């Protein structure tokens, strides 16, 4: 990995996110629902809908997307089995520094909240998984099913990104080549998430399951479980309407729907045409389900050596490795204080 060339970018992002910690106002907002039925024959129509959603809102949901709900449920079941292990067992698969692979527990401190997210996670990034897979006696079938799920999520993500590629004037397979699974610098990640249960008596209004943030990648696809809500979105990552003046809308979880958002990398790659959107996972309110919350997210992140060069040249070229390094340094800076 080369060194970051413009660290002031990360500082700017840190300062921005630090203004976004307020509760804000909750409102009802429709998240665009996009039907992927007959994707190839309806490609132009679907691409129009994706472009409209991504340029106007930055968040959208996919239905009839081709991923079997039973496969998603199997992955969720294995995720729960892994997180149910004692911490000393999970600690045998520690997060590898700078490689986004392995297990972490409450290590992420958002600049927007300055408190640790109330969650644990396990990252699957293919080139770095040596010694990080629980074996058959620990969590049976974990590696096989997760690898299959990772591939299918990647394939779907590349279909979505191919629509954006053509609208940006790139070749249809432009982003597929930029997210090449066969190369050692591949860095797309499947992230399993377990948000901790929150008993009524332990409620602390200063805590968040995940503080307000934008993602670093090109495209994020989030899988949720019905009945386990909390995900909220607030279109627009700029500081206007920050803090308590921002409007937040809840995203109702459904087993058969994938919630997607544009990340910072694709926003830059598109000369800011595609909108990276703030989102968070709030704590349960009185009377709501307060048990554990599980989700899975697939992050489409371009391979490290790929150069991000924008169509109109609004930003200077930068490698995906350098870009992500800047964003990670900004988002985790608070944890080092």
């Amino acid at each position: 990995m080369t060194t970051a060339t413009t660290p002031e970018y990360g500082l700017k992002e840190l300062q921005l996110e630090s203004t976004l910690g307020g509760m804000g106002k909750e409102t009802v907002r429709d998240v665009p629902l996009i039907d992927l039925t007959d994707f190839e024959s309806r490609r132009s129509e679907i691409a129009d809908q994706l472009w409209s959603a991504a340029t106007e809102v930055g968040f959208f949901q996919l239905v009839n997307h081709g991923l079997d709900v039973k496969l998603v449920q199997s992955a969720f079941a294995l995720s729960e089995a892994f997180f149910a292990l004692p911490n000393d067992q999970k600690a045998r698969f520690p997060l590898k520094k700078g490689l986004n692979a392995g297990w972490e527990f409450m290590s992420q401190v958002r600049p927007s909240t300055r408190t640790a997210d109330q969650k644990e996670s396990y990252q699957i990034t293919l080139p770095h998984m040596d010694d990080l897979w629980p074996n058959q006696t620990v969590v049976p079938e974990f590696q096989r099913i997760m690898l299959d799920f990772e591939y299918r999520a990647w394939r779907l993500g590349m279909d979505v990104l191919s629509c954006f590629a053509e609208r940006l004037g790139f070749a249809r397979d432009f982003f597929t080549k930029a997210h090449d699974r066969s190369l050692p610098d591949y860095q797309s990640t499947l992230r399993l998430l377990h948000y901790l249960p929150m008993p009524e008596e332990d409620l602390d209004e200063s805590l968040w399951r995940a503080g307000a943030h934008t993602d670093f990648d090109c495209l994020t696809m989030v899988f949720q479980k019905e009945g386990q809500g909390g995900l909220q979105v607030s279109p627009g990552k700029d500081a206007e309407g920050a803090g308590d003046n921002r409007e937040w809308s809840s995203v109702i979880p459904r087993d058969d729907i994938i919630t997607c958002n544009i990340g910072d990398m694709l926003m830059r790659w598109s000369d800011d045409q595609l909108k990276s959107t703030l989102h968070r996972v709030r704590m349960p309110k009185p009377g709501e389900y307060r048990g554990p919350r599980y989700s899975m997210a697939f992050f489409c992140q371009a391979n490290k050596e790929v150069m991000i060069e924008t169509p109109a040249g609004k930003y200077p070229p930068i490698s995906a490795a350098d870009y992500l390094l800047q964003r990670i340094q900004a988002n985790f800076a608070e944890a080092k204080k």
Side-chain angles (χ1 to χ4, degrees), residues 21 25 67 97 107 190-191 198 218 253 267:
K25 303 171 184 177
L67 281 183
K97 186 176 181 179
S107 68
L190 173 62
R191 191 180 200 194
M198 293 294 159
C218 284
M267 184 169 174

Side-chain angles (χ1 to χ4, degrees), residues 105-110 113-119 206-211:
F105 182 81
M106 289 180 59
S107 68
Q108 192 161 19
V109 177
R110 303 284 182 186
T113 62
R114 300 182 185 275
T115 61
D117 285 354
Q118 301 298 293
K119 62 177 172 57
S206 70
L207 299 177
W208 289 86
R209 280 181 157 172

Side-chain angles (χ1 to χ4, degrees), residues 137-194:
T137 61
V138 177
V139 186
E141 295 297 278
F142 185 85
Q143 180 176 355
R144 181 183 68 82
I145 289 179
M146 289 304 173
L147 283 175
D148 181 47
F149 184 68
E150 193 275 349
Y151 169 74
R152 294 176 188 275
W154 172 85
R155 182 64 269 169
L156 177 60
M158 295 307 104
D159 282 345
V160 172
L161 288 174
S162 73
C163 293
F164 293 130
E166 291 184 305
R167 288 299 189 273
L168 291 169
F170 299 135
R172 179 177 292 186
D173 63 352
F174 177 83
F175 287 117
T176 303
K177 291 180 177 179
H179 297 76
D180 191 337
R181 295 174 81 251
S182 69
L183 297 179
D185 66 334
Y186 176 73
Q187 56 181 354
S188 293
T189 297
L190 173 62
R191 191 180 200 194
L192 314 180
L193 291 144
H194 170 218

Side-chain angles (χ1 to χ4, degrees), residues 311-330:
K314 182 175 181 178
Y315 297 102
I318 187 173
S319 72
D322 282 351
Y323 183 77
L324 287 176
L325 178 60
Q326 292 172 6
R327 298 297 292 114
I328 291 168
Q329 286 174 339

Side-chain angles (χ1 to χ4, degrees), residues 40-243:
E40 287 301 333
S41 62
R42 296 178 52 241
R43 172 181 283 274
S44 179
E45 173 191 352
I46 291 170
D48 287 343
Q49 293 174 3
L50 287 169
W51 184 263
S52 176
T55 55
E56 296 172 12
V57 183
F59 251 83
F60 50 90
Q61 294 182 308
L62 305 177
V63 66
N64 297 323
H65 43 70
L67 281 183
D68 192 333
V69 172
K70 290 183 178 179
L71 172 62
V72 177
Q73 292 173 335
S74 294
F76 265 124
L78 290 172
S79 173
E80 291 185 37
F82 175 81
F83 289 124
L85 297 172
N87 281 2
D88 61 346
Q89 287 194 42
K90 289 179 285 191
R92 299 173 186 171
F93 316 105
L95 187 68
K96 294 181 179 179
K97 186 176 181 179
L99 298 178
N100 212 25
W103 174 74
E104 60 81 24
F105 182 81
M106 289 180 59
S107 68
Q108 192 161 19
V109 177
R110 303 284 182 186
S112 61
T113 62
R114 300 182 185 275
T115 61
D117 285 354
Q118 301 298 293
K119 62 177 172 57
E120 60 181 322
S121 65
Y122 175 85
Q123 279 72 226
I124 298 171
T125 303
L126 297 185
H128 311 300
M129 295 303 294
D130 290 348
D131 303 321
L132 290 181
W133 294 109
N135 63 33
Q136 285 289 89
T137 61
V138 177
V139 186
E141 295 297 278
F142 185 85
Q143 180 176 355
R144 181 183 68 82
I145 289 179
M146 289 304 173
L147 283 175
D148 181 47
F149 184 68
E150 193 275 349
Y151 169 74
R152 294 176 188 275
W154 172 85
R155 182 64 269 169
L156 177 60
M158 295 307 104
D159 282 345
V160 172
L161 288 174
S162 73
C163 293
F164 293 130
E166 291 184 305
R167 288 299 189 273
L168 291 169
F170 299 135
R172 179 177 292 186
D173 63 352
F174 177 83
F175 287 117
T176 303
K177 291 180 177 179
H179 297 76
D180 191 337
R181 295 174 81 251
S182 69
L183 297 179
D185 66 334
Y186 176 73
Q187 56 181 354
S188 293
T189 297
L190 173 62
R191 191 180 200 194
L192 314 180
L193 291 144
H194 170 218
Y195 297 89
L196 307 181
M198 293 294 159
E200 194 87 41
E201 62 273 15
D202 293 339
L203 182 61
D204 182 343
E205 293 185 357
S206 70
L207 299 177
W208 289 86
R209 280 181 157 172
H213 64 284
T214 56
D215 291 338
F216 308 155
D217 59 348
C218 284
L219 176 72
T220 303
M221 301 186 296
V222 179
F223 301 81
Q224 300 188 87
K225 298 192 71 173
E226 290 184 12
Q228 297 182 9
L231 176 63
Q232 295 186 312
V233 303
S234 181
K237 68 174 288 182
D238 55 54
E240 182 179 352

